[in-house]
Amino acid sequence: MTAETKTDQTRARLLNAAREVFSQHGFQGATVREICRRAETNVSAVNYHFGSKDGLLAEALNFAQLKALQAANIKADECPEARLHLFIRDFMLMLLDENTPSSQCRIMARELADPTPALDKIVREAIAPLHKFLGELVHAIVGDTVGEAELRRCVHSIFGQCLFYRHSHPVLQRLYPKLRYDSKEINAIAGHIADFSLAGVKRIAGIRNPV
Amino acid sequence: MTAETKTDQTRARLLNAAREVFSQHGFQGATVREICRRAETNVSAVNYHFGSKDGLLAEALNFAQLKALQAANIKADECPEARLHLFIRDFMLMLLDENTPSSQCRIMARELADPTPALDKIVREAIAPLHKFLGELVHAIVGDTVGEAELRRCVHSIFGQCLFYRHSHPVLQRLYPKLRYDSKEINAIAGHIADFSLAGVKRIAGIRNPV
DNA sequence: AACTGTATCAAACGCTTGTTTGAAAGTAAA
DNA sequence: TTTACTTTCAAACAAGCGTTTGATACAGTT
């Protein structure tokens, strides 16, 4: 085994472990020692390979999946209403599904409220494009009938509903101990948010809602 | 000055400082040293008066304002739709207004995603009643036409929209640097959420929405 | 075989955390 | 004033944190 391959293997193990631990405990709550324990390597490996805990977070972030989601949604040959539904479902799957290794989105969700050195990068490269994307999708639904501020608030309403299930998960588990985020439940939640939001944005736009 | 008065004064100063710091940095991010610095007392005062940092948090929590909000809303002689609007406005004022010293609600909001020893108490005494209250309010609007699961999801949609502006504040400030939560902005946000949600719950209930 | 550079590791470093200690100051009753 | 009790405080404590160090093992080159 060459030295380079060994380096890459250790790096990869560290990145995977970091994504796990960051998404579970947040940046502040995660410890370098636990990440290294899961990566089965020494504590000093983080600083050797990534310079610092900050550097590890920066490299652990990966927005590819989020961008793929948007690209696939744009390509989908559907009306804007259907695309909104699709987007919400895919987004909720990324946020909630415990069977997929898409912890990037969950890392970001954790950091929203607690600025870390990486938040500027996250906002610039992931969140801002995401808001722009959803803003355009909502605009395609309601047309030019709503002002910029109201359009933004519609986007906030949609993201707010989605993120609620991630942020408030510890609370919801206490309120409803039987709650499980299996694919059936996630689909039901996504369907609800899509219906609820479609009625909401149309109401804001002054469009009559059919039953 | 009697000893008891002195004790109470120090206790009160510690509680006020604790509410400030907890709401700003969260439980984990807050340090007893900073709390004591703001309370202008010694580090050991926290353990002397409250036993531990956990004990300080438990006593710093105060759900009176949240309960007063619900009581006032029930007393208000308005239709359910108007009461929903009132509730959302008052709730947003508690969550966002920086000029009012209602940091309790903000402490809770911070802890939602990050279980602390106090979360069980918070859920039991504050969040569960709040969800029950809003559930009944939504039920008063839509009647018996929607199932229990869908009603719960409507409540989640409303809280999700409200909490978004608190949780994502650091992100929103980066996206829109001009954003300020003055009373005009808070009222606009509350109005939007009320309109948006009213249309949403009626759509879920299968009630046609007027323009 | 000797040399070079990289990767790993146990151990330690400097710092911060929540908490404890023991003495000093202050208050109230005898 | 003496006594008993409460409150404050500087200092220290043990544990945990991110990070650094110096030795060791190892691959590839000469």
Side-chain angles (χ1 to χ4, degrees), chain A residues 82-140:
Chain A
R83 280 175 56 211
L84 179 66
H85 190 163
L86 281 177
F87 171 80
I88 291 172
R89 196 203 55 192
D90 291 344
F91 189 58
M92 293 306 281
L93 278 170
M94 284 185 64
L95 274 179
L96 300 182
D97 192 359
E98 291 139 4
N99 299 322
T100 63
S102 65
S103 40
Q104 278 85 5
C105 218
R106 266 168 277 161
I107 298 176
M108 288 171 38
R110 282 212 61 124
E111 304 304 327
L112 294 196
D114 223 330
T116 69
L119 184 56
D120 284 315
K121 183 188 172 192
I122 294 176
V123 169
R124 199 178 339 108
E125 297 185 20
I127 299 180
L130 200 59
H131 277 239
K132 183 162 175 286
F133 170 83
L134 192 51
E136 285 165 0
L137 191 46
V138 171
H139 181 259

Side-chain angles (χ1 to χ4, degrees), chain B residues 7 10 42 44 48-49:
Chain B
T7 300
T10 305
N42 190 269
S44 49
Y48 179 76
H49 287 285

Side-chain angles (χ1 to χ4, degrees), chain B residues 125-142:
Chain B
E125 298 185 20
I127 300 180
L130 200 59
H131 277 239
K132 184 162 174 286
F133 171 83
L134 192 51
E136 285 164 0
L137 190 47
V138 172
H139 181 258
I141 294 173
V142 298

Side-chain angles (χ1 to χ4, degrees), chain B residues 14-103:
Chain B
L14 276 171
L15 286 171
N16 285 331
R19 292 190 183 105
E20 267 185 44
V21 180
F22 283 148
S23 71
Q24 279 177 19
H25 302 98
F27 180 74
Q28 203 182 182
T31 69
V32 303
R33 277 173 174 80
E34 162 134 24
I35 292 171
C36 290
R37 204 177 306 129
R38 295 207 199 181
E40 293 182 340
T41 183
N42 190 269
V43 225
S44 49
V46 164
N47 294 79
Y48 179 76
H49 287 285
F50 302 97
S52 67
K53 189 185 176 186
D54 286 12
L56 177 57
L57 173 62
E59 292 216 40
L61 291 170
N62 185 345
F63 310 124
Q65 198 177 1
L66 209 53
K67 282 177 183 154
L69 188 161
Q70 296 168 59
N73 191 277
I74 287 175
K75 271 194 205 151
D77 190 23
E78 301 275 0
C79 66
E81 281 91 343
R83 280 175 56 212
L84 178 66
H85 190 162
L86 281 177
F87 170 80
I88 291 172
R89 196 204 54 193
D90 292 344
F91 189 58
M92 294 306 281
L93 279 170
M94 285 185 64
L95 274 178
L96 300 182
D97 192 358
E98 290 138 5
N99 299 322
T100 63
S102 66
S103 40

Side-chain angles (χ1 to χ4, degrees), chain A residues 153, chain B residues 93 97 180-191:
Chain A
R153 291 198 188 105
Chain B
L93 279 170
D97 192 358
R180 288 290 174 282
Y181 286 152
D182 53 26
S183 66
K184 191 181 149 218
E185 177 69 16
I186 295 176
N187 273 307
I189 293 173

